[in-house]
Amino acid sequence: MSPMSMNRRCFTALAGTTALAAPMVAAGVARGQARWKPEKPITIYNPFAAGGVTDVHMRLLAEAVGKILGQQIIVDVKPGAAGTLAPAMLLNAKPDGYTLAVMSINTLRYPHYQQTSWNPLTDFTYITGLSGYTMGIVVRSDSPWKTFQDMIAAGKKDPDKYNYGTSGVGGTGQLMMIEVEQATGAKFTHVPYKGGAEWMQALMSGEIQFIADAAQWAPFVDDGKCRILAFATEKRIPRYPDVPTMIELGVNVVGQSPYGLLGPKGMPPEIVNTLHEAFKQASAEPKVTEYLAKFIQVPWDKNPADFRAFAEKYYAEVKPLLIKAGLAKP
């Protein structure tokens, strides 16, 4: 199931289990599982822009996990290479649990259209899923486009005249729009940015006419500064019940964009399991779920085996889409 299709009731369910989650790591020891006890700070390389939603999410998790494991968790921002620089930095790291990285979905796309020094399926240890973005099309509240159909009509009448912003070339936002263009015949100009703070500023200043990306725009919508034209989700979002999905509007597009935590290949199971349980426990903290809820995100809990299985499946399935989009060769 796509994380975008998860019902936001997940937040309530997870928040309600916070009290039960507290002894989770200790319970692993009771079941006979070895528990790893870190003896120095742990560094997590983060490929997302500083101050963005994911960066704040990781820092909230780092604070909570630091208390659980009794060691400081350092979040080190390493943007670049379409969000794949952070995982690439694990190639020379020891598999001792002290160097980790956030993996964006782009890590499973990038090797299809760009030569890399790493293989996403053989060079990393999959630790845990963390969260997933909700993708949509958003304009300023004073935009003449009142509906998704208005936007498409404008893109047909004046091809490439109107600009849209995303978080990068080859990312979910651009792939989503390539599919929209191919399905409708409209044409827009893509403008990539480093993150949500940049493309929100660009939208509000008129540099771009719309955003096709994750819901870092949600607070602007709630404040009346922006308007959602459509969601790239399988079902409507309960928080915005009147906003249709692209599927409802005849464009079969779903933006899939989860992220998780990786380590260097060859990490011992006791380290992997301890980290997974610690992050799972931290993800249930009310301040974490409340923060994610502001941006229509849900926790995406994947144990190491399920996370790897997702990666292997997606890595194979996404190539035809990238070829269709002209970003990869057959």
Side-chain angles (χ1 to χ4, degrees):
M1 180 185 296
S2 164
M4 303 310 144
S5 67
M6 293 181 181
N7 193 292
R8 289 187 63 248
R9 286 196 298 267
C10 291
F11 282 115
T12 304
L14 282 172
T17 58
T18 302
L20 297 177
M24 196 175 292
V25 175
V29 180
R31 292 193 298 267
Q33 298 175 0
R35 181 187 176 188
W36 175 58
K37 296 180 180 180
E39 298 177 350
K40 61 181 182 180
I42 297 170
T43 296
I44 300 176
Y45 295 127
N46 173 28
F48 299 98
V53 174
T54 310
D55 185 51
V56 175
H57 178 210
M58 291 309 304
R59 294 180 190 281
L60 289 172
L61 287 176
E63 180 183 357
V65 171
K67 294 177 181 177
I68 294 168
L69 297 181
Q71 285 290 345
Q72 182 184 12
I73 311 295
I74 301 167
V75 178
D76 189 356
V77 176
K78 296 292 182 183
T84 65
L85 178 60
M89 295 182 70
L90 297 177
L91 287 181
N92 298 319
K94 296 179 180 179
D96 55 10
Y98 294 107
T99 308
L100 310 173
V102 178
M103 184 201 82
S104 75
I105 195 72
N106 237 21
T107 303
L108 299 173
R109 298 173 182 148
Y110 204 56
H112 287 307
Y113 55 82
Q114 177 73 41
Q115 185 174 357
T116 62
S117 60
W118 43 268
N119 183 307
L121 304 184
T122 60
D123 288 329
F124 306 122
T125 296
Y126 285 79
I127 298 172
T128 186
L130 294 173
S131 186
Y133 302 114
T134 294
M135 312 295 290
I137 305 290
V138 170
V139 297
R140 284 191 343 196
S141 57
D142 60 356
S143 170
W145 303 336
K146 304 301 181 183
T147 66
F148 178 73
Q149 293 93 329
D150 290 343
M151 184 191 83
I152 296 302
K156 287 182 176 181
K157 181 180 179 181
D158 297 300
D160 297 317
K161 177 181 178 180
Y162 301 104
N163 303 329
Y164 71 93
T166 77
S167 55
V169 174
T172 301
Q174 186 191 20
L175 291 180
M176 180 174 80
M177 283 307 302
I178 288 173
E179 287 192 279
V180 169
E181 290 175 335
Q182 291 177 342
T184 64
K187 190 68 177 176
F188 304 95
T189 297
H190 178 220
V191 183
Y193 294 93
K194 292 180 180 179
E198 283 193 2
W199 42 248
M200 282 310 310
Q201 183 177 359
L203 178 67
M204 300 313 293
S205 69
E207 182 177 316
I208 57 177
Q209 281 67 56
F210 66 99
I211 291 167
D213 216 293
Q216 296 190 37
W217 35 256
F220 291 81
V221 171
D222 294 340
D223 289 345
K225 298 176 182 177
C226 293
R227 179 169 60 251
I228 312 169
L229 299 184
F231 280 109
T233 54
E234 293 179 352
K235 297 179 180 179
R236 291 198 182 198
I237 302 300
R239 179 164 152 189
Y240 305 103
D242 296 330
V243 180
T245 67
M246 290 192 213
I247 293 175
E248 291 179 76
L249 299 173
V251 180
N252 190 25
V253 175
V254 174
Q256 187 166 223
S257 193
Y259 56 93
L261 196 65
L262 298 176
K265 67 178 179 180
M267 287 178 61
E270 62 269 21
I271 296 179
V272 175
N273 291 333
T274 297
L275 288 168
H276 168 252
E277 292 295 342
F279 275 89
K280 181 176 182 178
Q281 180 177 334
S283 292
E285 290 285 338
K287 64 180 178 181
V288 176
T289 58
E290 289 168 8
Y291 178 76
L292 291 183
K294 288 174 58 179
F295 303 97
I296 328 176
Q297 288 187 214
V298 296
W300 190 60
D301 177 36
K302 293 283 185 184
N303 64 36
D306 289 342
F307 190 15
R308 171 168 286 282
F310 165 84
E312 291 174 349
K313 185 173 185 290
Y314 184 84
Y315 183 71
E317 292 180 345
V318 75
K319 187 173 183 180
L321 172 59
L322 296 175
I323 293 173
K324 182 179 178 182
L327 296 173
K329 296 180 179 180

